[in-house]
Amino acid sequence: MKTSTESAKRSFVDYLWERMSKGSFWATKLKSWLWIFVRTVLISGISFIILYPILIKVVIAFKDPIDLYDATVVWIPKHFTLDNFKLVSDALHFPKILLNTALLSGTVMFLQTLCCVLAGYGFSRIKFRGSGLLFGCVIFTILVPPQTIMIPTYLQYKNFDVLGIVSLFTTQPLNLINTYWPFLISSALGMGLKTGLFVYIFRQFFRGIPKEMEEAALVDGSGTFGTFVKIILPNAMPSVVTVMLFSFVWQWNDSYFTNLILNDAKVMSSMMSTAAAQILFYLTPPGGSFKPDPLYLSMIQNTAVLMAITPLIVMYLFVQRHFVESMERSGLVG
């Protein structure tokens, strides 16, 4: 009798435990599904807020002027057209501007990456008296507003001379204003746009690479430069891709130094600052009183902006994996 009672108690306890386990299981599942739903809503909402301006520009760029006055057209145009892109290409000489900007940004990207990767490796591995102070000066360049060195920078390149050597052979300094040389010289000598940040990124990345790898290479007979080229640099490709992307994008979008050095709209940022006036001049006949519709003019400007940022979006799609990986390994994000 006692045995059957104990068996009944155990069965009841097992039954209660099973019910509680099932309840806990479904409660956990419900909590997980609820979190997934909330996270999806948040990410979708934030993504829409970020992408909304680009989506609007894409929709407007493919609209026919007739759709501007149709209240039923909101997102999907009734009359798709590519005339807006053709007009921007003709009015702003877009192919030439695109080629100039790509060549300038690509060359600056290469020179700046080469300079910064060497500096970052030196600060992370080579210790000497005053290295910390020197690296502090590099970080200080990030904090200095570019407006404070605007006049010295302009005068430096307007009367460019190196220790009087140029004047010795040409009788007067070189005027590099309205040329691409100031951008190339600054990038190659470590004074390009955001160079301090790039050096910091490389330094943080190289500090995360084990020193044993370099020591093993040195034991095998490889020199410092050979170890850097064959061992360190291949492992630093995520940070290299990130710096190349930053350098290219910031040079592409830079309008401050570009407008300071270049007098003509030779590159994309200069073109975008004068796009409205150029488009208006193109649409207005010489000597005529006709003025284009402001809505139509705004549509053409949106198309110009879309054409200017499209190469950057396409480039980011190809390097986003390396970009995220480098941000994690360099310690720039938590």
Side-chain angles (χ1 to χ4, degrees), residues 112-133:
Q112 201 165 26
T113 304
L114 179 62
C115 172
C116 294
V117 72
L118 293 174
Y121 180 71
F123 281 120
S124 66
R125 289 294 190 260
I126 303 174
K127 300 300 179 182
F128 54 90
R129 186 181 299 273
S131 61
L133 178 62

Side-chain angles (χ1 to χ4, degrees), residues 163-240:
L163 301 176
I165 298 176
V166 176
S167 300
L168 181 64
F169 291 97
T170 63
T171 69
Q172 60 181 359
L174 296 177
N175 183 7
L176 301 182
I177 299 299
N178 206 31
T179 68
Y180 295 143
W181 282 109
F183 303 100
L184 306 183
I185 294 173
S186 299
S187 301
L189 299 182
M191 284 302 296
L193 197 63
K194 308 294 183 181
T195 295
L197 176 62
F198 299 152
V199 173
Y200 175 77
I201 291 176
F202 279 125
R203 177 179 178 269
Q204 291 299 102
F205 193 92
F206 288 137
R207 290 182 63 183
I209 297 179
K211 293 184 178 180
E212 289 76 8
M213 297 176 60
E214 300 169 76
E215 294 172 355
L218 293 174
V219 170
D220 291 339
S222 177
T224 303
F225 185 75
T227 302
F228 172 75
V229 173
K230 297 178 182 178
I231 304 298
I232 302 300
L233 200 57
N235 286 279
M237 288 311 298
S239 62
V240 171

Side-chain angles (χ1 to χ4, degrees), residues 37-64:
F37 174 77
V38 172
R39 184 174 58 185
T40 303
V41 171
L42 286 175
I43 294 176
S44 301
I46 295 173
S47 300
F48 179 77
I49 293 174
I50 296 173
L51 296 177
Y52 178 77
I54 299 178
L55 296 176
I56 286 293
K57 285 178 172 53
V58 172
V59 172
I60 292 177
F62 290 97
K63 276 186 178 181
D64 190 89

Side-chain angles (χ1 to χ4, degrees), residues 5-254:
T5 303
E6 293 177 352
S7 177
K9 288 182 179 180
R10 285 197 297 270
S11 300
F12 181 71
V13 170
D14 293 340
Y15 172 75
L16 288 178
W17 177 255
E18 183 179 357
R19 291 295 301 269
M20 291 174 62
S21 299
K22 287 184 177 180
S24 177
F25 171 78
W26 287 112
T28 304
K29 277 290 186 182
L30 181 61
K31 187 186 297 184
S32 175
W33 291 339
L34 183 62
W35 169 241
I36 292 174
F37 174 77
V38 172
R39 184 174 58 185
T40 303
V41 171
L42 286 175
I43 294 176
S44 301
I46 295 173
S47 300
F48 179 77
I49 293 174
I50 296 173
L51 296 177
Y52 178 77
I54 299 178
L55 296 176
I56 286 293
K57 285 178 172 53
V58 172
V59 172
I60 292 177
F62 290 97
K63 276 186 178 181
D64 190 89
I66 300 175
D67 293 334
L68 290 175
Y69 308 98
D70 191 342
T72 62
V73 176
V74 180
W75 285 102
I76 302 177
K78 290 183 178 180
H79 305 86
F80 284 90
T81 180
L82 297 177
D83 293 342
N84 299 330
F85 294 95
K86 185 178 184 304
L87 190 149
V88 170
S89 180
D90 295 339
L92 303 180
H93 308 287
F94 190 81
K96 180 182 178 181
I97 296 294
L98 179 63
L99 179 61
N100 291 343
T101 309
L103 290 176
L104 176 61
S105 300
T107 307
V108 167
M109 173 190 70
F110 173 76
L111 295 175
Q112 201 165 26
T113 304
L114 179 62
C115 172
C116 294
V117 72
L118 293 174
Y121 180 71
F123 281 120
S124 66
R125 289 294 190 260
I126 303 174
K127 300 300 179 182
F128 54 90
R129 186 181 299 273
S131 61
L133 178 62
L134 187 60
F135 182 70
C137 294
V138 173
I139 298 300
F140 183 71
T141 61
I142 306 175
L143 308 178
V144 176
Q147 292 81 0
T148 59
I149 59 173
M150 177 181 66
I151 296 177
T153 300
Y154 182 84
L155 294 178
Q156 173 67 30
Y157 291 115
K158 181 175 175 52
N159 303 291
F160 185 77
D161 201 349
V162 182
L163 301 176
I165 298 176
V166 176
S167 300
L168 181 64
F169 291 97
T170 63
T171 69
Q172 60 181 359
L174 296 177
N175 183 7
L176 301 182
I177 299 299
N178 206 31
T179 68
Y180 295 143
W181 282 109
F183 303 100
L184 306 183
I185 294 173
S186 299
S187 301
L189 299 182
M191 284 302 296
L193 197 63
K194 308 294 183 181
T195 295
L197 176 62
F198 299 152
V199 173
Y200 175 77
I201 291 176
F202 279 125
R203 177 179 178 269
Q204 291 299 102
F205 193 92
F206 288 137
R207 290 182 63 183
I209 297 179
K211 293 184 178 180
E212 289 76 8
M213 297 176 60
E214 300 169 76
E215 294 172 355
L218 293 174
V219 170
D220 291 339
S222 177
T224 303
F225 185 75
T227 302
F228 172 75
V229 173
K230 297 178 182 178
I231 304 298
I232 302 300
L233 200 57
N235 286 279
M237 288 311 298
S239 62
V240 171
V241 171
T242 299
V243 170
M244 292 176 68
L245 176 64
F246 277 159
S247 178
F248 189 92
V249 171
W250 277 331
Q251 180 59 49
W252 185 287
N253 293 327
D254 173 62

